[in-house]
Structures are given as C-alpha cells and as structure tokens.
Amino acid sequence: MNRPQQSTSPMRRLGASCTLIASLCTASPLEAEAQCGPRDIVLDRLAEIYGENRQAIGLARENTLMELFASQESGSWTITVTTAQGLTCLIAAGQNFETAFSNALAHGKDV
C-alpha cells in the first residue's frame, strides 16, 4: 500500500488532530510536555493513522512499560510509556526507522 510521504512527526500530527481526538491530546500540539491518553486509544491511533505496530518493549522505572512502535512502510516511529493505570504518553517520535538487527544481518555483521 502506497501512502503519501508525510513530513511532520507523528507526535505533531497527533497534536494537529486534537479536534478529532481531544481526549488524547494536551491543550496545544506545540507544548513540550508529552501527550497522553488511554492506552487503547493511543495504540489505535498509531496503527490507524501511521501504520505503526509494536517493535520493542521493556520495563521502565515505577512499573511503567516502554514501547517502540514503527511502520516498516513509512519509516515513522513513536516511543510510548504506559503507567500501571493504563495512561499512555507519547515520549518521542521521528522518521527513518530501521531495525539494527536486520541491518546488521544484511551487512554480514554479528549482532
């Protein structure tokens, strides 16, 4: 499936969609603080809007769950942190996602 190249980050695009998903966003997409919402809504938006699915997972401090979501098609990626109460926050996002493991194998290097 060919999708048009989008030049803004997923975090900014989510912020720009505040009128559609107000419960997910903070007051302004330009604020420096993370954007948070219920886990199911955040994950649905990452999948539906950006085609991102979970690529990595890990436990962080205070029983929080860190996840890296990415789209192999567009190269967009998003890092989230979810609290034990189910609140998921967008921490970072960007473009040109590439797995180090597959890249190393493609070049005949040990991982």
Side-chain angles (χ1 to χ4, degrees), residues 8-66:
T8 58
S9 72
M11 198 175 319
R12 287 218 172 163
R13 289 178 291 184
L14 267 176
S17 302
C18 280
T19 55
L20 299 175
I21 51 175
S23 65
L24 176 61
C25 299
T26 59
S28 168
L30 300 177
E31 291 177 0
E33 62 192 65
Q35 298 175 354
C36 303
R39 178 177 167 73
D40 57 342
I41 293 175
V42 174
L43 272 56
D44 285 349
R45 296 292 184 232
L46 291 175
E48 292 172 10
I49 298 172
Y50 309 110
E52 295 180 3
N53 55 49
R54 188 168 63 194
Q55 303 291 318
I57 187 171
L59 291 177
R61 64 176 188 227
E62 299 177 18
N63 294 322
T64 57
L65 178 68
M66 181 285 307

Side-chain angles (χ1 to χ4, degrees), residues 3 7 10 21 28 34 39 49-50 70 78 81-82 90 96 104 107:
R3 292 179 9 166
S7 60
I21 51 175
S28 168
R39 178 177 167 73
I49 298 172
Y50 309 110
T78 304
V81 173
T82 302
L90 304 177
N96 300 315
H107 293 94

Side-chain angles (χ1 to χ4, degrees), residues 75-97:
S76 70
W77 60 266
T78 304
I79 296 175
T80 66
V81 173
T82 302
T83 66
Q85 295 75 30
L87 182 66
T88 298
C89 297
L90 304 177
I91 302 302
Q95 295 294 318
N96 300 315
F97 175 78

